[in-house]
Amino acid sequence: MGELFVYSAFFGTALFFLPIFVSVDAFVDARENKCWFALSLYGFLKVFGGYLQLKKEGLVFHLTKKKAVILPYRQMAPMRKKFEVTKGFQLYRFHQITETGGEGKLYGLMGGAAFMVFGGQVFSVLRTLHPFLSLKSGLLLTETPNLKVTLQAVTIFNGLILSVAIGKKILEAFLNWIRKKRSTASWKKRHSSSLA
């Protein structure tokens, strides 16, 4: 019985510190106004997927045939701050291929060259900051006008970082609850003193 506890504790601790890879695969077709995406663990354990559309109401996430979630544009800035949980989530891989029209045309060649130069500059800065980061970028020029982007991004973290991020969010929610309670209590006190 003691050996089972020791083995369980060892494997539990090992899993706590082993890296977790979260992959996001996406395909964007601007003409169809759709972005298909899939979120998976280690590249093969699918967590969820669907497609995204830009509408006048906001971003519409279609998770199933009958279920969609709308994220209004005005809520996107506050949501971005909520997802800044910790610096422990590191980008491990970013690969993308862009397909656009303009093959054999001067504007297509010039635009493609500018795109590759800009991407190279951004990637060189990222590579300097994160030498382990796998970065790849490609451009395809086609005869028909279109804009399609295929990308894969992989983030790496572990159970410890995830626990810290969840703990941080719980602590922030608890502190906000205390602040609301205090402001409500002080408002009630001022209100009752003004009535007296």
Side-chain angles (χ1 to χ4, degrees):
M1 186 70 173
E3 290 180 1
L4 178 64
F5 176 75
V6 171
Y7 287 135
S8 299
F10 173 75
F11 285 117
T13 306
L15 287 174
F16 197 64
F17 290 103
L18 283 176
I20 300 169
F21 294 86
V22 177
S23 301
V24 177
D25 295 288
F27 175 73
V28 179
D29 190 339
R31 289 180 69 118
E32 289 194 27
N33 186 26
K34 286 185 179 179
C35 172
W36 291 268
F37 63 91
L39 183 73
S40 60
L41 296 174
Y42 303 102
F44 63 91
L45 297 172
K46 185 178 174 184
V47 178
F48 69 90
Y51 68 92
L52 165 73
Q53 285 185 304
L54 298 175
K55 299 285 188 181
K56 63 180 180 179
E57 300 87 14
L59 297 176
V60 181
F61 292 90
H62 297 267
L63 302 175
T64 64
K65 288 183 178 180
K66 296 182 179 180
K67 183 177 180 183
V69 178
I70 298 176
L71 176 62
Y73 296 119
R74 65 180 178 276
Q75 292 181 2
M76 289 177 69
M79 287 286 286
R80 186 183 62 82
K81 292 178 183 176
K82 287 182 182 178
F83 283 109
E84 291 176 3
V85 285
T86 180
K87 293 184 178 178
F89 294 85
Q90 295 293 326
L91 187 62
Y92 177 73
R93 178 185 302 139
F94 185 82
H95 296 178
Q96 69 91 23
I97 298 173
T98 302
E99 180 182 328
T100 185
E103 181 187 19
K105 305 268 173 65
L106 182 61
Y107 72 87
L109 297 173
M110 296 293 286
F115 175 82
M116 293 302 287
V117 168
F118 177 74
Q121 295 300 317
V122 171
F123 278 14
S124 65
V125 171
L126 289 173
R127 184 67 58 88
T128 304
L129 296 173
H130 307 285
F132 60 88
L133 187 58
S134 172
L135 295 166
K136 289 184 183 175
S137 179
L139 178 69
L140 297 173
L141 295 176
T142 61
E143 292 181 2
T144 57
N146 63 52
L147 178 58
K148 298 176 182 177
V149 180
T150 304
L151 67 88
Q152 181 190 55
V154 179
T155 303
I156 185 171
F157 59 96
N158 61 23
L160 177 63
I161 298 298
L162 187 61
S163 301
V164 168
I166 292 171
K168 180 181 174 183
K169 285 304 184 188
I170 292 171
L171 183 61
E172 286 175 0
F174 180 67
L175 291 174
N176 285 336
W177 179 75
I178 288 175
R179 283 190 201 113
K180 286 180 183 176
K181 282 288 190 187
R182 284 185 179 171
S183 65
T184 304
S186 64
W187 180 82
K188 285 181 180 177
K189 188 176 179 182
R190 278 183 280 150
H191 185 66
S192 62
S193 63
S194 65
L195 290 175

